Amino acid sequence: DNTLVGSTSTARHNEFQINMVSIGGDFHYKGARASLTLQLGMRSTVVPRNDFSVTRGQFELANVYRYVREAYAGYHWDVLHGINLDVGIFMSYVGLFSYNNFENWAYQPSYTSDNTPWFFNGVRLQIFPTERLKVELWLINGWQSYAKFGEAPGFGYQLLYRPREWVSLVANG
């Protein structure tokens, strides 16, 4: 039936398909901030299909989040070089690959990249102690999941340091 399984990069083969159509924007007013990006196409089916947490509970999470690529709201404080607190669905901070091939640094995701998270659902705190250092702390449902896999939430962090405009040093976990 032209269905491929075992990959997050492809879902069908030997036929024409629309992989993704996306539209979105950002909102900023004083300290308030928000972002919304919607998606249509094969990605909006493949990404929820690969999340086993959508069967947790009575809600149809695969359908309710299907067309949302990123959606969050939060607040920005002018403290240090900036502090942001946001809640929602975010694109992942882990790795250099997106689930969109055109955003991948190598333009061809590896199998390993298929298993890195593309999004997080939860709370993000960004702290900019200096103009070149960013610290992100995360409280999320889990590794690329709409709902929690177990009873405990996931925790994560990213440290990003740019000593020069053209150099980025990243650590995350």
Side-chain angles (χ1 to χ4, degrees):
D1 67 353
N2 294 339
T3 299
L4 291 175
V5 295
S7 173
T8 55
S9 299
T10 57
R12 313 272 306 161
H13 74 94
N14 206 24
E15 46 184 39
F16 292 104
Q17 59 183 287
I18 296 175
N19 191 32
M20 187 166 90
V21 176
S22 187
I23 187 168
D26 294 328
F27 170 81
H28 298 274
Y29 179 74
K30 297 185 181 180
R33 49 190 262 129
S35 181
L36 176 65
T37 305
L38 303 175
Q39 64 183 1
L40 295 170
M42 189 61 67
R43 305 288 345 141
S44 62
T45 300
V46 172
V47 172
R49 175 198 73 181
N50 294 334
D51 176 11
F52 295 107
S53 76
V54 297
T55 60
R56 182 183 174 124
Q58 62 183 346
F59 297 100
E60 295 183 22
L61 296 178
N63 292 327
V64 73
Y65 289 133
R66 173 170 284 163
Y67 304 110
V68 178
R69 181 174 170 200
E70 183 174 56
Y72 64 83
Y75 197 81
H76 170 81
W77 289 273
D78 287 323
V79 177
L80 301 171
H81 286 269
I83 296 177
N84 301 324
L85 180 63
D86 302 310
V87 177
I89 298 175
F90 306 90
M91 298 308 290
S92 171
Y93 66 86
V94 177
L96 305 175
F97 290 92
S98 161
Y99 64 81
N100 301 310
N101 284 339
F102 63 87
E103 294 177 346
N104 293 335
W105 286 25
Y107 297 103
Q108 182 176 351
S110 65
Y111 183 73
T112 305
S113 297
D114 280 352
N115 295 299
T116 58
W118 296 322
F119 67 91
F120 290 131
N121 195 345
V123 180
R124 168 181 71 186
L125 176 65
Q126 297 176 317
I127 303 168
F128 298 85
T130 72
E131 64 181 34
R132 299 188 184 276
L133 177 63
K134 177 176 75 169
V135 177
E136 285 188 11
L137 303 173
W138 292 80
L139 178 62
I140 56 177
N141 282 341
W143 186 269
Q144 190 165 296
S145 63
Y146 294 123
K148 289 190 298 186
F149 279 116
E151 297 302 318
F155 299 95
Y157 69 91
Q158 180 193 59
L159 303 174
L160 173 62
Y161 179 61
R162 291 191 169 122
R164 299 278 184 263
E165 185 177 315
W166 48 275
V167 175
S168 292
L169 303 172
V170 180
N172 52 48

